[in-house]
């Protein structure tokens, strides 16, 4: 039976910040600060997929790692099922990690090349104190069935598998402890297009049938449209537009989102003429005033240079950080 999206947020992120200090040539920390994640907020409900999209370096992966406390945020709040995660001690956080897992971009690099698949899939149970061998074996057999793998593959090593098979193994490992939240960090970008479709369909089945929430990180707007329920567009550490996937793809409102859409290959006959972005992104170590996108925006006005736009709801469930979005 398929699960519907819950009305109660599973994850709440409020005004999250993560800054990095630039290093000098001698390795010491310098005075420059890189604003990797700059005051962003969002929610994620059980059974829902929220896409984080944007160019490389916009802060998508840092956001996900800060949410999971793989890197410690500098400011903000992260609540999981109402629990303030940033106030948990390491032991409490370790216990909670059973419900939060991550799927990495490079499946081969994410798996220990010296360990057999059986040992890789057993590791989550061992780390979290599951000592019942029968239970572990039954659980692993169930993981293989869910992800389209077979038991005769358990004795093999990672280098013996294709990219798609490796990603299925990574997904199986992520599912081992029945998580309620999975961060998928560019999970299909390293795969061939046909294999991408198989993996995205597998993740869709898990979302629909298991009620798992996904924070789905990608720069592929086509994959995000197919998989995600809502989309947050990031630029230089900020969310510049957030809406349901249907609303965002039907009527994108931020000029940066329009540029991302224009980069998606289309088989439609009509040719859409759009203004495209040019130039380089602003230096995020400089605390400049005004809109962060102003240096590349094709429609900017004087106010964009002086006043930083805030994320405002312009339609039900559709928010934009742009002075000209009206």
């Amino acid at each position: 039976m398929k699960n519907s999206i819950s009305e109660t947020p599973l994850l709440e992120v409020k005004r999250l910040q993560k800054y990095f200090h630039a290093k000098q040539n001698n390795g010491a920390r310098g005075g420059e600060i890189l604003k990797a994640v700059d005051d962003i907020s969002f929610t994620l409900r059980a059974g829902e997929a929220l896409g984080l999209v944007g160019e490389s370096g916009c802060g998508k992966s840092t956001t996900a790692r800060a949410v999971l406390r793989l890197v410690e945020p500098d400011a903000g709040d992260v609540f999981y099922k109402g629990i303030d995660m940033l106030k948990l001690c390491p032991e409490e956080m370790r216990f909670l990690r059973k419900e939060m897992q991550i799927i990495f971009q490079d499946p081969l690099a994410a798996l220990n090349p010296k360990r057999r698949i059986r040992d890789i899939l057993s590791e989550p149970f061992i780390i979290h104190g599951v000592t019942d061998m029968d239970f572990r074996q039954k659980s692993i057999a169930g993981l293989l069935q869910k992800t389209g793998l077979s038991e005769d593959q358990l004795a093999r090593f990672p280098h013996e598998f294709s990219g798609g098979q490796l990603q299925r193994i990574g997904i199986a490992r992520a599912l081992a402890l029945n998580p309620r939240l999975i961060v998928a960090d560019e999970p299909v970008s390293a795969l061939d297009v046909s294999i991408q479709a198989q993996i995205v369909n597998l993740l869709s089945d898990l979302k629909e049938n298991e009620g798992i929430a996904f924070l789905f990180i990608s720069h592929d707007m086509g994959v995000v449209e197919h998989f995600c329920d809502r989309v947050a567009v990031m630029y230089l550490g900020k969310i510049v537009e957030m809406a349901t996937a249907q609303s965002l793809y039907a009527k994108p409102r931020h000029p940066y989102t329009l540029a991302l859409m224009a980069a998606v290959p289309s088989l439609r006959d009509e040719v859409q003429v759009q203004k495209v972005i040019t130039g380089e992104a602003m230096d995020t170590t400089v605390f400049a005033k005004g809109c962060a996108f102003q240096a590349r925006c094709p429609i900017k006005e004087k106010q964009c240079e002086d006043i930083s736009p805030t994320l405002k709801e312009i339609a039900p469930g559709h928010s934009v950080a742009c002075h000209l979005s009206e």
Side-chain angles (χ1 to χ4, degrees), residues 77-95:
D77 297 293
V78 179
F79 294 93
Y80 175 77
K81 291 183 176 178
I83 300 170
D84 189 345
M85 288 175 52
L86 302 188
K87 292 183 178 179
L88 298 181
C89 69
E91 187 61 31
E92 291 171 326
M93 191 65 216
R94 180 182 179 185
F95 179 80

Side-chain angles (χ1 to χ4, degrees), residues 61-176:
S61 294
T62 303
T63 296
R65 282 163 170 75
V67 166
L68 296 179
R69 288 187 63 185
L70 298 179
V71 297
E72 290 295 334
D74 293 315
D77 297 293
V78 179
F79 294 93
Y80 175 77
K81 291 183 176 178
I83 300 170
D84 189 345
M85 288 175 52
L86 302 188
K87 292 183 178 179
L88 298 181
C89 69
E91 187 61 31
E92 291 171 326
M93 191 65 216
R94 180 182 179 185
F95 179 80
L96 198 61
R97 288 194 190 282
K98 291 188 295 184
E99 299 194 27
M100 307 171 187
Q101 294 296 314
I102 187 167
I103 301 169
F104 295 97
Q105 177 178 1
D106 186 345
L108 183 58
L111 302 176
N112 189 331
K114 297 181 179 180
R115 305 197 70 184
R116 299 180 188 274
I117 303 308
R118 177 183 292 105
D119 299 324
I120 290 173
L121 296 182
S122 297
E123 189 174 25
F125 300 102
I126 295 171
I127 289 174
H128 288 277
V130 179
T131 57
D132 188 325
M133 289 294 295
D134 289 338
F135 176 80
R136 276 163 39 184
Q137 291 177 358
K138 290 179 181 178
S139 297
I140 290 173
L143 293 173
L144 296 175
Q145 183 177 9
K146 282 182 181 179
T147 53
L149 299 167
S150 59
E151 291 195 35
D152 60 3
Q153 296 172 318
L154 290 174
R156 294 162 62 181
F157 291 93
H159 71 271
E160 301 179 72
F161 293 88
S162 67
Q165 290 174 317
L166 287 172
Q167 197 58 288
R168 288 176 183 271
I169 294 167
I171 294 170
R173 182 176 63 178
L175 293 173

Side-chain angles (χ1 to χ4, degrees), residues 231-301:
V231 183
V233 181
M234 290 191 67
Y235 185 78
L236 294 185
K238 291 182 177 291
I239 293 177
V240 297
E241 185 164 7
M242 184 158 51
T244 65
Q246 182 179 8
S247 176
L248 187 83
Y249 283 82
K251 192 174 182 180
R253 304 297 290 268
H254 197 282
Y256 178 62
T257 309
L258 285 165
L260 292 178
M261 298 291 192
V264 178
S266 175
L267 297 177
R268 291 177 298 182
D269 293 332
E270 68 270 19
V271 177
Q272 294 184 345
V273 179
Q274 301 188 52
K275 295 180 179 179
V276 297
I277 57 174
T278 59
E280 297 294 329
M282 292 174 61
D283 184 353
T284 56
T285 62
V286 178
F287 288 78
K289 64 178 182 178
C291 177
F293 190 60
Q294 61 176 284
R296 306 173 73 188
C297 184
I299 60 171
K300 74 170 182 178
E301 295 182 353

